[in-house]
Amino acid sequence: MILDSFKLDGKVAIITGAGRGLGRAMAVRFAQAGADVVAAARTLAELEQTAELVRATGRKCLIAQTDVTRSDQVNAMAAAAIKELGRIDILINNAGGYHKGMGKPLHELTDDEWREGIDTNLTGQFYCCRAVVTQMLKQQGGKIINIASGWGLRGGKNVFAYACAKGAVLQLTRSLAVTYSRKNIYINCIVPGIFEGAAKYFQGGKFIPIGRIGQDAELGPLALFLASDASNHLNGAFITIDGGGLAGGISPTGSLPRQIG
């Protein structure tokens, strides 16, 4: 049956940034599909809430309090997953987000703010990929899903480190894909638009072509597809989920778009 190819029974998925928002939503979706989950984030209280939701589905949830900008902590996360659950089949590189330098013009951006933006949104993904790929090679297969942003595909006013990091995530995805695909390891990238966590910055998304922001739960099925056998011929791809935002040219440039027609 076609739906069997979407099942994740017996799989172990590491999801970073799993304490809230998109990461929590994906953790629950993956558990519903049969996967055991390693929920990673910095805030323990939020991870415990995610773990409750995952365990309510009957699946295991290992909490890994992790700062993805620290390679030692990322390596410990991967080691714990192997020790406690025996394998790593899926990595969702979801951790990232806004940083202190967001909204600053270039001439006011400090060295530390630049590095924070790059490390939070790019270096952390590199660390996580490096930490899991050796185990995936041993298992002769795996799925890695990087999370970028529409900012990685367009310029933005006073958005420097974040946009550069997210654009680089696309290239990290491509380089990983051409390096490891012959080893049965597939790497793809989701490019989200405006979801619940960013709604307050974008007037609720009323300028998105479909007229609303994305709901966190709506990203889960796409991630599930990319993590499952249903996507086994998809590699090095970018899939945008933004309600038509990029198609419609929506970009917060500092001026509000005007409806025509």
Side-chain angles (χ1 to χ4, degrees), residues 128-138 144 176 180 185:
C128 289
C129 291
R130 187 178 63 180
V132 307
V133 76
T134 300
Q135 180 65 25
M136 289 182 174
L137 287 168
K138 289 179 181 178
I144 295 175
L176 288 166
Y180 291 107
I185 300 172

Side-chain angles (χ1 to χ4, degrees), residues 113-199:
E113 288 167 343
W114 170 262
R115 292 190 186 100
E116 181 188 4
I118 296 297
D119 287 348
T120 300
N121 294 289
L122 173 63
T123 307
Q125 296 207 26
F126 160 70
Y127 286 158
C128 289
C129 291
R130 187 178 63 180
V132 307
V133 76
T134 300
Q135 180 65 25
M136 289 182 174
L137 287 168
K138 289 179 181 178
Q139 295 170 191
Q140 300 182 3
K143 297 287 184 86
I144 295 175
I145 302 167
N146 295 327
I147 306 295
S149 165
W151 288 114
L153 293 170
R154 62 184 175 219
K157 183 178 181 180
N158 296 331
V159 183
F160 292 100
Y162 184 80
C164 289
K166 291 300 188 180
V169 166
L170 304 179
Q171 293 303 92
L172 176 64
T173 300
R174 284 175 164 147
S175 295
L176 288 166
V178 299
T179 300
Y180 291 107
S181 57
R182 294 292 180 95
K183 302 297 184 180
N184 199 35
I185 300 172
Y186 301 95
I187 301 94
N188 293 290
C189 186
I190 295 175
V191 184
I194 303 166
F195 279 77
E196 292 175 71

